C-alpha cells in the first residue's frame, strides 16, 4: 500500500480539551463556538468562502491511537464495522464535521456547532453546498433503529 502524507493547513480552537464528555456530532454542539486558524500562507484559499453559511471541515483525529475494524459506537450497544460509523479510531484517523461559518477574520474562520477537540490539525476545508451535499431521502442504516438522540449523547473514554 502506498503511504500518503498530509501537511495540516491549520488548527481548530474549541472549548473541548478532553475527548471525554464532548458532543459526538455537530448536532450535539449547536451554538458551540470555535475557530479554525489557518497558517497565514493558506489565507488566500479563503477567498469567497464568506458567501457560504456552512463549511465541511476535514481534520486529523490527532489523539486517536490504533483502530479496530469493528466498534461499538456511541449511539448503539452493538458492534458495527468501523466504516459504518463515525468512530474516531479508524485506519486513517480522518474526521469530518459540517460547521456553521459565522465570520472570516484574515486567516481565521469563526465557526459554530463545533464538536472537535481543541488543537485538532485541519487537513482541508470545503464549502457545504445543499444542492450537492444534502440527500434527505437516503437511508441511514443501523442509525435508523437507534433510540438515542445524537444531540444529547456525549463521548466517553471508549475511543481515547
Amino acid at each position: 500500500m502506498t503511504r500518503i502524507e498530509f501537511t495540516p493547513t491549520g488548527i481548530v480552537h474549541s472549548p473541548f480539551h478532553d475527548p471525554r464528555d464532548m458532543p459526538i456530532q455537530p448536532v450535539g454542539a449547536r451554538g458551540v463556538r470555535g475557530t479554525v486558524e489557518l497558517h497565514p500562507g493558506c489565507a488566500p484559499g479563503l477567498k469567497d468562502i464568506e458567501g457560504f453559511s456552512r463549511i465541511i471541515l476535514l481534520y486529523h483525529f490527532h489523539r486517536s491511537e490504533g483502530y479496530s475494524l469493528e466498534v461499538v459506537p456511541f449511539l448503539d450497544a452493538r458492534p458495527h464495522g468501523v466504516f459504518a460509523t463515525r468512530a474516531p479510531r479508524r485506519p486513517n484517523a480522518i474526521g469530518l464535521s459540517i460547521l456553521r461559518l459565522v465570520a472570516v477574520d484574515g486567516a481565521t474562520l469563526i465557526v459554530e456547532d463545533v464538536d472537535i477537540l481543541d488543537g485538532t490539525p485541519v487537513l482541508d476545508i470545503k464549502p457545504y453546498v445543499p444542492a450537492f451535499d444534502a440527500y434527505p431521502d437516503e437511508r441511514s442504516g443501523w442509525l435508523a433503529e437507534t433510540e438515542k438522540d445524537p444531540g444529547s449523547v456525549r463521548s466517553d473514554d471508549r475511543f481515547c
Side-chain angles (χ1 to χ4, degrees):
M1 189 176 291
T2 303
R3 182 170 173 81
I4 300 170
E5 292 186 29
F6 293 98
T7 301
T9 57
I11 191 167
V12 174
H13 298 288
S14 82
F16 304 112
H17 299 276
D18 189 319
R20 292 167 194 84
D21 199 37
M22 32 182 303
I24 62 166
Q25 292 296 320
V27 69
R30 290 227 166 101
V32 174
R33 194 166 274 209
T35 60
V36 176
E37 180 184 348
L38 293 183
H39 300 305
C42 292
L46 295 175
K47 183 177 188 246
D48 300 324
I49 195 122
E50 70 278 351
F52 295 89
S53 60
R54 291 194 174 269
I55 59 169
I56 300 169
L57 194 70
L58 298 169
Y59 48 90
H60 173 60
F61 285 122
H62 67 295
R63 300 253 314 256
S64 180
E65 294 181 12
Y67 68 91
S68 177
L69 293 175
E70 286 192 16
V71 298
V72 176
F74 295 120
L75 295 175
D76 201 358
R78 301 172 296 157
H80 298 278
V82 72
F83 300 128
T85 75
R86 294 190 175 185
R89 291 184 61 205
R90 331 179 55 77
N92 290 306
I94 297 171
L96 175 150
S97 292
I98 299 174
L99 307 175
R100 178 171 303 285
L101 179 59
V102 176
V104 180
D105 182 13
T108 300
L109 303 177
I110 294 98
V111 292
E112 286 186 348
D113 306 343
V114 176
D115 66 330
I116 306 165
L117 194 62
D118 186 65
T120 295
V122 174
L123 299 177
D124 202 0
I125 301 167
K126 298 178 183 293
Y128 175 84
V129 181
F132 305 162
D133 301 320
Y135 298 93
D137 297 331
E138 299 300 323
R139 297 185 320 263
S140 57
W142 63 268
L143 284 164
E145 301 169 12
T146 187
E147 295 181 9
K148 293 182 180 178
D149 172 19
S152 63
V153 173
R154 293 293 184 256
S155 64
D156 53 29
D157 64 355
R158 77 181 79 184
F159 296 116
C160 294

